[in-house]
Amino acid sequence: MSGSSLEFHVKPGGCLKGVLRVPGDKSVSHRSIMFGSLAEGTTEVTGFLEGEDCLATLNAFRAMGVTIEGPSNGRVVINGVGMHGLKAPSAPIYLGNSGTSMRLLSGLFSGQSFDVELTGDASLSTRPMKRVTEPLEKMGAEVVTTESGTPPLKIKGGKKLCGISYDMPMASAQVKSCLLLAGLYAEGQTCVTEPAPTRDHTERMLRGFGYPVTTEGNKICLTGGFSLKATTIDVPADISSATFFMVGAAIAEGSDVMLDHVGINPTRIGVINILREMGAHIEILNEREIGGEPVADIHVKASKLHGIRIPEEQVPLAIDEFPAIFVAAACAEGETVLTGAEELRVKESDRIQVMADGLQILGVDAKPTPDGIVIQGGKLGSGTVDSHGDHRIAMSFAMAALRAQGDILIRDCANVNTSFPGFVDLARSAGLTISQEG
Ligand code: S3P
């Protein structure tokens, strides 16, 4: 199905209710395939996200000779080939919409003995890659982009990598992870210093596979040459997917939802901090630790939200959640101001512009700024908005309908399957009047 042909039709009003389990964490699922493939022994993964992005990573490793069973009901069994067991793929590797696959694999493949070419869809083919290729070159890698620094990436094999100490110019877990993965194959120590904390799933999972990684403040270091030992991984539900239901429940009067088994890694909970500051009723229950990641059940009830100035230190901790947070801001009383979030302009779409355009179509006063947005809460009307093929924008506008005065039609929604297969059915079961066509 072509991406632009799938539309969501959402009727206004209603509320969200029930006990819901959203699909597995995308970041953790990607990394489980990468490390399981490079480990010695058999890694069993449960709760794996069977979305297109993670399947792109899975297929990349199959193309390099790794035997992977599944996924079947979220279960994947990976027969690891060891750090030096990958084989040259016979064709370029297509990664679809997945920036995480492209950025992390560029680091990992820089350390292999063979050449690899990585390609992506129209959106991924516009995304900046110099942020990874420049530091990789400092390590001795050779990675060619287009003249404008975008994919495809042509990675030369057989290069000798040397560890570097790198001060990241932007808070990006993808850049950090890329360099740490190259560092596995580098001589000596690779250190990455981040300007602000970003998601630390790579560091946690490497340790889970027995690989030594140190974290001191914002500096993460590892030394090349150790090996990974197979393990079992239980992937928690993705807080980024849970976000749509948290926002939906917070804005729609009468809502009461319990989101089960959600990953609440401290580097991912910006959305909870921000929504609570806006007045949302969110309880974190049954906190536990599963496979090195904190997990909890999240209870959300409708409440009256008010606008806030979003603290900049929360931005990297909520980086994927802003489309939904903007919908909450549009339903809040007063003004919400976001700054320090220019990274949103280089996600699957320009999330500042695309959200501002859609909110304006719905009658909301939303003004984009170079590094954020200013939203005046008010009434949401109705209309046709374009997600620009961005999964998180499509799902955010679906939730906006809970407070809209008329129907919302959302264009270009097929990419919801990159991160949240089954979204429409789950949203409908919770109370959203949503259908899809195309
Ligand atoms: C991700 C990191 C984030 C996030 C993306 C997944 C990861 O990107 O937006 O969806 O798994 O490392 P940046 O690190 O570039 O902000």
Side-chain angles (χ1 to χ4, degrees):
M1 184 186 305
S2 104
S4 51
S5 64
L6 190 75
E7 293 178 349
F8 288 171
H9 294 229
V10 200
K11 295 264 171 225
C15 63
L16 300 182
K17 288 225 159 108
V19 179
L20 311 171
R21 176 142 179 181
V22 301
D25 188 279
K26 185 154 76 73
S27 295
V28 174
S29 295
H30 278 298
R31 288 157 173 82
S32 71
I33 298 292
M34 295 176 193
F35 299 147
S37 295
L38 296 177
E40 283 156 21
T42 304
T43 291
E44 186 185 334
V45 185
T46 49
F48 179 78
L49 169 61
E50 297 182 37
E52 286 164 7
D53 278 13
C54 299
L55 294 175
T57 291
L58 188 152
N59 286 329
F61 283 91
R62 277 196 179 135
M64 290 182 297
V66 183
T67 303
I68 304 175
E69 293 162 41
S72 163
N73 288 325
R75 183 170 178 270
V76 180
V77 178
I78 309 157
N79 295 288
V81 295
M83 293 301 289
H84 299 283
L86 296 178
K87 297 200 176 72
S90 58
I93 293 177
Y94 178 68
L95 298 170
N97 196 243
S98 180
T100 307
S101 308
M102 186 153 306
R103 297 221 179 93
L104 271 58
L105 293 180
S106 67
L108 188 55
F109 295 165
S110 289
Q112 305 303 316
S113 59
F114 47 81
D115 299 355
V116 186
E117 182 173 345
L118 302 178
T119 65
D121 72 3
S123 154
L124 184 52
S125 298
T126 66
R127 296 185 65 189
M129 292 296 149
K130 288 277 185 221
R131 56 180 58 200
V132 288
T133 61
E134 283 177 358
L136 283 174
E137 274 157 23
K138 288 192 186 70
M139 296 178 77
E142 193 183 318
V143 187
V144 178
T145 64
T146 64
E147 218 159 282
S148 50
T150 54
L153 297 185
K154 292 185 179 137
I155 305 165
K156 197 93 196 123
K159 302 300 269 187
K160 189 170 147 4
L161 304 185
C162 290
I164 56 167
S165 210
Y166 187 65
D167 275 336
M168 261 197 311
M170 75 288 286
S172 167
Q174 292 184 350
V175 176
K176 169 179 66 176
S177 302
C178 165
L179 300 180
L180 293 176
L181 293 182
L184 300 175
Y185 290 93
E187 201 173 291
Q189 199 179 43
T190 298
C191 292
V192 185
T193 304
E194 23 185 35
T198 67
R199 66 190 67 191
D200 63 356
H201 305 299
T202 298
E203 299 91 299
R204 284 176 188 252
M205 203 183 286
L206 278 171
R207 290 182 191 118
F209 277 88
Y211 203 101
V213 182
T214 62
T215 302
E216 270 173 45
N218 279 3
K219 186 173 183 183
I220 302 101
C221 298
L222 58 73
T223 299
F226 293 92
S227 60
L228 299 169
K229 310 271 172 305
T231 186
T232 53
I233 295 170
D234 178 7
V235 182
D238 197 326
I239 190 167
S240 298
S241 298
T243 288
F244 305 108
F245 293 90
M246 283 195 242
V247 166
I251 62 174
E253 206 181 322
S255 295
D256 188 331
V257 299
M258 180 74 88
L259 293 150
D260 268 358
H261 205 75
V262 181
I264 54 156
N265 180 314
T267 60
R268 297 285 299 279
I269 57 167
V271 61
I272 295 177
N273 301 334
I274 291 167
L275 289 176
R276 276 182 170 165
E277 204 172 319
M278 295 175 77
H281 175 107
I282 303 177
E283 284 177 299
I284 297 182
L285 306 168
N286 299 323
E287 267 187 73
R288 55 225 186 243
E289 187 161 311
I290 307 234
E293 290 280 351
V295 171
D297 304 324
I298 301 179
H299 180 215
V300 189
K301 286 204 292 194
S303 47
K304 213 168 150 38
L305 302 182
H306 54 84
I308 59 165
R309 182 169 280 275
I310 297 174
E312 286 197 7
E313 72 272 11
Q314 294 297 324
V315 171
L317 311 180
I319 194 68
D320 289 338
E321 284 62 78
F322 283 104
I325 291 170
F326 296 169
V327 168
C331 298
E333 198 179 305
E335 182 178 85
T336 294
V337 181
L338 173 67
T339 55
E342 55 280 344
E343 278 294 302
L344 293 180
R345 293 202 177 269
V346 290
K347 292 293 177 189
E348 286 83 326
S349 70
D350 176 344
R351 287 183 172 162
I352 292 174
Q353 193 59 50
V354 173
M355 282 304 298
D357 290 347
L359 288 171
Q360 284 164 13
I361 286 167
L362 299 180
V364 177
D365 179 357
K367 286 196 182 65
T369 61
D371 68 340
I373 196 164
V374 180
I375 298 173
Q376 310 293 336
K379 281 197 166 37
L380 271 68
S382 64
T384 299
V385 298
D386 193 332
S387 81
H388 287 261
D390 187 324
H391 53 142
R392 301 201 193 281
I393 289 185
M395 292 184 271
S396 299
F397 279 119
M399 291 299 168
L402 290 161
R403 282 280 292 270
Q405 286 168 339
D407 290 10
I408 298 183
L409 191 143
I410 309 156
R411 293 227 157 102
D412 202 356
C413 296
N415 280 339
V416 165
N417 283 326
T418 61
S419 69
F420 202 148
F423 169 75
V424 166
D425 288 343
L426 193 68
R428 205 185 284 133
S429 77
L432 199 67
T433 312
I434 181 170
S435 59
Q436 52 185 347
E437 263 171 44

